Amino acid sequence: FSINLIRCELLLKCSVNVFQSLSDGMWLRCGCAASLRVLASPLRVLGLRRCNTAAFMPESTGFGGVSGRSGLQEFSVSSSESFWAAVARHRLSWIRPFTAVQDCDLSRGRIRWFEGGKLNVSVNCLDRHVHTCPDRVALMWERDEKGSEVRYTYRELLEMTCRVGNLLRRHGVKKGDCVTIYMPTCPLAVASMLACARIGAAHNVVFAGFSAEALAERIRDAQSSTVITVNQGIRGGKILELKKTVDTAVQSCPTVQQVFVAMRTDSPVAMTARDIAMEEVRQQREDVVCEPAAMNSEDTLFLLYTSGSTGKPKGLVHTQAGYLLYAALTHRYVFNYHDGDVFGCVADIGWITGHSYGVYGPLANGGTTVLFESTPVYPDPGRYWDMVERLQINQFYGAPTAIRLLLKFGDEWVNKYDRSSLKTLGSVGEPINTEAWEWYYRVVGEERCPVVDTWWQTETGGICIAPRPSDPDAEIVPGMAMRPFFGIKPALMDTEGKVISGNDASGALCLAQPWPGMARTIHNDHQRFMETYCQPYPGYFFTGDGAYRSVEGYYQITGRLDDVINVSGHRIGTAEIEDAVNQCPAVAESAVIGYSHDIKGQAVFAFVVLKKNVDVEEADLSRQLNGIVSEKIAKYACPDFIQFVQRLPKTRSGKIMRRVLRKVVELDLDSLGDLSTLDDPAAVQEIIQGHRELLSK
């Protein structure tokens, strides 16, 4: 395909998109301004006044008289193909139109959307906006150094993306390859992601806080021959030696042939024969035109690794068209995003939130997105709100962990800054507790900004349940995700695998039909994908979470049902931590559980059995074990408490009873249940006594 032909078609489609933007903008001008009020008990926030459905979603004119958010939701589920076909044709720019909307069978783990279609994700995120608004700001990079933000227009971001794409092509990266990116949140990292998409390579972004061993495991599984990194990272005023971490990692990665190294700081680093400096990009030596590859809808866009209960990270595969469409649609409607808004997602690009709502969703919508490199408390607890004032952020999307942390510093750090630009507040990563929700709403949002508590996962690609979008006067209940997004049909399952039909009920949360943004498989292990998500409840997608459906039909997430801990919004498998702990020569075995934590949501508690005749101070061994976990996984995975025990509670078949350990840590001894099935019930009493002694220290 000629780039000129692509650009001609994009120019035509961009004209349509301009009309779309104008139509969307009418929503604000047709009497739909947010009107919020609070009821005394329980605290509930009321939503948007009535507005024209066609202005809200132009595609609805072809939906046979459907009106209102409820009507759109019902249509999107009952007439899924018609809904997604219309949205895909209207909101994505296609090189070749798709011929089939979907070919999905959850019972077989088959998920395919928009087959026959060809497009390029980078073109949808950059080129079509450059044609209509080249000087609109695409990225606001909030560097670690406070007050030193850097802005990139769509034209500048396209040029940087093309330069990186040409550099990669010149060094042999081709369509179908997978490039691992180990970088802090910065514009060059975004350009690297988009450059991969432009030339048809998949990207595998690894959180820059992961250890060399965790990075190496992900490089090997992705079979990457190319890595992109920086000399050093900076976060919270601290230097992170990212290049050194990569050097250590690639020693055990025989597939790696080249490492591209950019400079985040002025400090030189040792370069090896495989290393390539990215000076060509910084000094603008590469061409600013890079022909985009025509990609099939179901070609891989990226891999992203998430922890599982088995200890081996899962490389979830997201594809081109469906993922981009879903990220864009949820970004626009959950957050009520409009042209000219500044969207502030403070997640790292190493996580799915950074992918979907830091990069792909906002850029597909032609938005302005903030890249946050620092921490919520550097150099002081007012960092977020200073940034909101300086950058005039309209939608702020952060984690409950950070909100709980900042709440403890008091209101003065918030009230010090002007937050009048804020229109919507979002929460992501874990359920937000009511106290944090109320503080977020009353203090940060000044009781005028709706708080959208969003539920979704790396597996889902984008937000699945959230309070918005909603019907006129629809309430928002604190601490509840509430309403399924368009095309999402939740189901609660009982212990016998049957659907729970009524309200005021709890069960395993499943999704009853496929949607475009969902992951397609686990890289090189589709059987594991089937066993994890499709086989527990045949015909349904099993999320691994439990949920409660209220009398009103709203959904509240109650937590993980498998052995996965959610630490500060980061999912980590208990088996992964246990595997690291057990590598210590002094350790015979261990059991790890998650427990409630005021700041982090969940924290890690490890029970450790030592080998016989081990003579070492427990405090020294605790430091050693935390060091191993930090090296093997990451610092956030380190246990907050380590209790050394003589033995673990096990069934007669040898299974560790983590349920019992969890009750001990939660001091819920009255709910220990029947211990007669244990091989040695006396082990529980020993652990209870040891736990009391640990807490008394």
Side-chain angles (χ1 to χ4, degrees), residues 465-488:
I465 306 178
R468 294 286 187 260
S470 57
D471 272 337
D473 296 333
E475 64 186 356
I476 294 181
V477 182
M480 296 187 79
M482 298 187 72
R483 303 177 179 93
F485 189 70
F486 301 127
I488 300 299

Side-chain angles (χ1 to χ4, degrees), residues 241-453:
E241 299 291 352
L242 300 189
K243 172 59 165 56
K244 290 181 180 178
T245 301
V246 171
D247 287 344
T248 302
V250 299
Q251 289 177 13
S252 60
C253 299
T255 61
V256 175
Q257 299 174 2
Q258 54 193 4
V259 176
F260 291 93
V261 184
M263 299 293 289
R264 170 60 181 90
T265 69
D266 294 329
S267 299
V269 289
M271 300 288 279
T272 69
R274 71 165 67 90
D275 297 332
I276 302 168
M278 295 188 74
E279 286 299 291
E280 292 90 341
V281 175
R282 189 179 69 82
Q283 296 181 6
Q284 302 182 358
R285 293 175 185 168
E286 293 286 350
D287 194 353
V288 297
V289 175
C290 179
E291 184 170 350
M295 304 299 291
N296 294 319
S297 296
E298 284 298 325
D299 285 340
T300 299
L301 176 61
F302 64 84
L303 308 182
L304 193 58
Y305 285 82
T306 185
S307 292
S309 58
T310 65
K312 176 178 168 58
K314 300 171 292 189
L316 290 159
V317 176
H318 282 285
T319 55
Q320 309 274 330
Y323 167 79
L324 185 66
L325 176 66
Y326 196 74
L329 201 70
T330 49
H331 170 257
R332 182 174 287 277
Y333 287 112
V334 171
F335 300 100
N336 189 22
Y337 184 87
H338 292 280
D339 286 344
D341 286 350
V342 176
F343 190 79
C345 172
V346 292
D348 191 280
I349 59 162
W351 309 113
I352 188 63
T353 304
H355 279 54
S356 297
Y357 302 110
V359 181
Y360 286 113
L363 295 181
N365 287 329
T368 298
T369 182
V370 175
L371 303 176
F372 183 69
E373 187 183 37
S374 194
T375 76
V377 293
Y378 180 76
D380 57 56
R383 181 60 185 269
Y384 277 167
W385 324 124
D386 168 72
M387 179 178 69
V388 166
E389 177 181 287
R390 278 188 291 106
L391 305 186
Q392 290 294 286
I393 291 172
N394 304 114
Q395 293 87 9
F396 182 87
Y397 196 30
T401 298
I403 302 306
R404 287 191 291 266
L405 173 63
L406 296 174
L407 183 159
K408 294 185 179 298
F409 286 99
D411 300 355
E412 59 271 20
W413 286 106
V414 183
N415 294 328
K416 183 179 178 181
Y417 300 99
D418 178 13
R419 304 169 317 285
S420 59
S421 62
L422 288 173
K423 298 191 292 187
T424 301
L425 299 174
S427 168
V428 60
E430 59 185 299
I432 185 170
N433 57 303
T434 301
E435 180 191 14
W437 191 101
E438 292 180 3
W439 184 80
Y440 203 21
Y441 172 68
R442 293 185 183 280
V443 178
V444 177
E446 301 172 299
E447 299 190 23
R448 58 180 179 78
C449 301
V451 175
V452 289
D453 176 12

